[in-house]
Amino acid sequence: MNLDLATVWAAIIGLGLFLYVVLDGFDLGIGLLFPFLEKSADREVMLNTVAPVWDGNETFLVFGGAALYAVFPVAYATLLPANYLPVVLMLAGLIFRGAAFELRAKATRTRHMWDLAFIAGSVQAAFCQGVILGSLLQGIKIVDGRFAGGSFDWLSPFSVFCGLGLLVTYATLGCGWLIIKTDGKLQENMYALMRPISAVLLSTIFIASAWTVLGNPAVAERWFGGHRLVYFAPVPVLVVASIWGIWRAVNRRNERLPFPLALFVLFMGYTGLIISIWPYIIPPSLTIWEAAANHSSQLFMLVGAAIILPIILCYSFMQYRVFRGKVRESDAGYH
């Protein structure tokens, strides 16, 4: 029996994308939470919680982009021209944010300016990622395997809402991360923010889900056609239960639960995305098999991924293991 390499690669790229959203999500979320805390010492602690790991978190974005280019070239050649501007703005935000991260540590009189740059870069990168996701969900026009839409087809009320929704998602992850990594007054501030932010996240998830189902009959059929509703009904139930668990953990000052529960909400949202678009890699017409490179190219890349991916995963695991524990104001930091 021949191995379906397109499905295997879809799973690998899907895993890489999810790991990027998880790891760089709370990283970007810290930049989104900066405006809520103006004390310089608090901001320094916030940055020190991710200083040893932030650049490694973006490895999965590079891996996913390279794999998409090599294994699903038709999808890459379609998705990129359909989203040129948000992709460029996203990369610019990540670059600007990374520069601000490093330069603010050396600045004295201009540190507040670099703080603003860090906030702006985080907002820009996260928002553009959400816009790209929204443009994918609303569908990309393809004719003869090529993008056939306009330069601003990606811009719509739905894609803008998805951009705002991803800002809320990353802020929730960042808040949960800081609850685990900090203590004292800063941790209390995060507890105070976690409940309203997670409530907004819940509202955002249900609005985006309803908008997608009502606006796209094909997605509605995937969720509600036949007996599928019976199988997929636990997804929204688990989302609500997780948000309730976050509120309960916050009330009890249980610092270990909010972050993993926020990750689980993200996982449920990601699962819902896969249900909504599978087997299309570019909805509504391009499947993973139609977009895939030839079998030998996929196999060659799979050998490379079998070597590289475990190394990346081991490196990521070790960096979080080495730098585990609380970060406090009195710590020297990692700049």
Side-chain angles (χ1 to χ4, degrees), residues 136-160:
L136 183 68
L137 278 172
Q138 71 186 9
I140 295 175
K141 186 178 180 181
I142 301 174
V143 176
D144 296 330
R146 296 171 179 265
F147 172 62
S151 300
F152 291 92
D153 281 6
W154 54 270
L155 185 60
S156 69
F158 179 71
S159 65
V160 170

Side-chain angles (χ1 to χ4, degrees), residues 70-146:
V71 181
F72 297 108
V74 178
Y76 185 91
T78 303
L79 186 62
L80 193 60
N83 291 276
Y84 267 137
L85 187 57
V87 168
V88 170
L89 290 175
M90 178 196 73
L91 295 175
L94 291 173
I95 293 169
F96 206 66
R97 175 179 172 275
F101 193 105
E102 298 295 338
L103 292 173
R104 74 174 298 280
K106 307 295 189 293
T108 53
R109 291 176 298 175
T110 59
R111 175 168 291 191
H112 67 286
M113 295 178 60
W114 290 113
D115 283 349
L116 291 175
F118 183 71
I119 294 169
S122 300
V123 171
Q124 182 172 312
F127 179 75
C128 288
Q129 289 174 15
V131 167
I132 294 168
L133 172 62
S135 75
L136 183 68
L137 278 172
Q138 71 186 9
I140 295 175
K141 186 178 180 181
I142 301 174
V143 176
D144 296 330
R146 296 171 179 265

Side-chain angles (χ1 to χ4, degrees), residues 5 49 55 270 318:
L5 291 182
T49 65
D55 46 355
Y270 196 69
M318 287 304 299

Side-chain angles (χ1 to χ4, degrees), residues 6-285:
T7 302
V8 172
W9 266 110
I12 292 173
I13 293 175
L15 173 63
L17 178 61
F18 179 72
L19 289 175
Y20 168 75
V21 172
V22 167
L23 298 179
D24 211 35
F26 71 78
D27 188 343
L28 287 165
I30 288 176
L32 304 180
L33 294 172
F34 251 44
F36 295 95
L37 295 163
E38 296 183 358
K39 187 180 175 183
S40 179
D42 288 339
R43 290 182 170 184
E44 196 68 29
V45 172
M46 292 167 70
L47 287 176
N48 283 340
T49 65
V50 293
V53 299
W54 74 272
D55 46 355
N57 292 342
E58 295 177 357
T59 304
F60 292 99
L61 179 63
V62 177
F63 173 82
L68 185 68
Y69 174 78
V71 181
F72 297 108
V74 178
Y76 185 91
T78 303
L79 186 62
L80 193 60
N83 291 276
Y84 267 137
L85 187 57
V87 168
V88 170
L89 290 175
M90 178 196 73
L91 295 175
L94 291 173
I95 293 169
F96 206 66
R97 175 179 172 275
F101 193 105
E102 298 295 338
L103 292 173
R104 74 174 298 280
K106 307 295 189 293
T108 53
R109 291 176 298 175
T110 59
R111 175 168 291 191
H112 67 286
M113 295 178 60
W114 290 113
D115 283 349
L116 291 175
F118 183 71
I119 294 169
S122 300
V123 171
Q124 182 172 312
F127 179 75
C128 288
Q129 289 174 15
V131 167
I132 294 168
L133 172 62
S135 75
L136 183 68
L137 278 172
Q138 71 186 9
I140 295 175
K141 186 178 180 181
I142 301 174
V143 176
D144 296 330
R146 296 171 179 265
F147 172 62
S151 300
F152 291 92
D153 281 6
W154 54 270
L155 185 60
S156 69
F158 179 71
S159 65
V160 170
F161 182 81
C162 287
L164 297 174
L166 200 62
L167 291 178
V168 177
T169 303
Y170 285 173
T172 305
L173 293 178
C175 202
W177 172 258
L178 290 172
I179 287 174
I180 290 178
K181 295 292 289 184
T182 63
D183 55 15
K185 182 64 175 176
L186 178 54
Q187 187 186 57
E188 283 299 316
N189 288 333
M190 292 302 108
Y191 277 128
L193 285 171
M194 190 63 173
R195 189 181 180 97
I197 289 178
S198 58
V200 174
L201 174 62
L202 180 62
S203 302
T204 302
I205 290 172
F206 277 98
I207 292 173
S209 300
W211 198 335
T212 303
V213 170
L214 294 174
N216 193 326
V219 174
E221 173 62 25
R222 291 190 193 99
W223 277 93
F224 304 115
H227 299 289
R228 295 188 186 96
L229 181 59
V230 176
Y231 302 121
F232 299 153
V235 174
V237 173
L238 289 171
V239 169
V240 173
S242 298
I243 296 295
W244 178 82
I246 290 173
W247 295 346
R248 186 176 177 85
V250 168
N251 290 338
R252 295 187 171 190
R253 293 301 187 264
N254 185 331
E255 65 178 29
R256 295 191 175 276
L257 280 181
F259 184 60
L261 285 174
L263 290 179
F264 187 72
V265 171
L266 178 63
F267 176 73
M268 286 293 99
Y270 196 69
T271 301
L273 171 64
I274 294 173
I275 293 171
S276 298
I277 68 173
W278 181 263
Y280 298 99
I281 191 169
I282 305 290
S285 58

Side-chain angles (χ1 to χ4, degrees), residues 314-329:
C314 288
Y315 168 79
S316 298
F317 172 78
M318 287 304 299
Q319 68 176 353
Y320 282 97
R321 178 176 174 80
V322 169
F323 295 103
R324 66 188 182 277
K326 296 285 187 182
V327 177
R328 298 177 175 86
E329 186 176 338

